[in-house]
Amino acid sequence: MAGEEDLGKLLALLNPSLLAGDFVFCTVENAQYGDFADLQPIASYQEEEGLSLLLAKGAADTAGLAYESVFSCISLMVHSSLNAVGLTAAVSGRLAAHGVSANMIAAYYHDHVYVPKDKAQLALQVLAEV
C-alpha cells in the first residue's frame, strides 16, 4: 500500500504518538555496520567519522557508550510516502518555532521525530495542534 504524498492530507492526519522509553545517539570510531547489533539499535548510519547508532538509553549505558543528550520519540502515525514533499520541513519548522530541536527519521510507513526528553510534552502538544 502506497503512502500519502499530499502535504495537506499528511498534516491533517499526523496523529503524533509519544513512544515509551529514552533514546540516545552515539558514535563509535572504527566500527562498521553490524557491529553492536547485540545492542539492538533502532537505526545506524555509517559516517566517515564512525558508526552512528540510535539506541535505547539503557543499552548505551550497559555498553558504556557515550552520548550527549537524551531524547524521546514521537511517531507520526500517518502513513507517509517516502516521496512526499514538505512533511519534514513542516514538522521541524513548527517545532523550531517553539525552540524544540527535531531529529527526523523516515521509515517505510511513518516518520519519527526524536526531540529532547525535557521538551517531549511541548513537542507533542505542538504537533497535535497541526
Side-chain angles (χ1 to χ4, degrees):
M1 179 166 95
E4 181 61 56
E5 291 188 34
D6 180 85
L7 182 58
K9 289 180 183 176
L10 287 168
L11 294 175
L13 300 170
L14 209 57
N15 193 22
S17 177
L18 182 63
L19 301 184
D22 295 336
F23 304 93
V24 298
F25 291 83
C26 305
T27 185
V28 183
E29 291 182 27
N30 302 315
Q32 57 188 335
Y33 183 77
D35 293 349
F36 301 96
D38 58 318
L39 299 180
Q40 298 181 323
I42 295 154
S44 66
Y45 195 88
Q46 188 70 55
E47 298 184 282
E48 281 186 36
E49 299 84 356
L51 180 66
S52 289
L53 299 168
L54 172 56
L55 299 167
K57 180 182 176 295
D61 290 341
T62 298
L65 295 174
Y67 50 86
E68 295 177 14
S69 302
V70 179
F71 296 88
S72 293
C73 180
I74 298 173
S75 287
L76 308 179
M77 299 309 294
V78 62
H79 182 185
S80 56
S81 168
L82 291 167
N83 292 313
V85 175
L87 181 59
T88 298
V91 168
S92 63
R94 283 184 170 85
L95 292 174
H98 289 85
V100 180
S101 66
N103 297 282
M104 303 285 296
I105 294 184
Y108 187 84
Y109 288 101
H110 309 289
D111 290 83
H112 310 275
V113 189
Y114 288 84
V115 299
K117 180 180 177 175
D118 63 341
K119 295 189 177 183
Q121 289 303 319
L122 171 61
L124 189 62
Q125 178 183 345
V126 167
L127 295 176
E129 293 172 358
V130 170

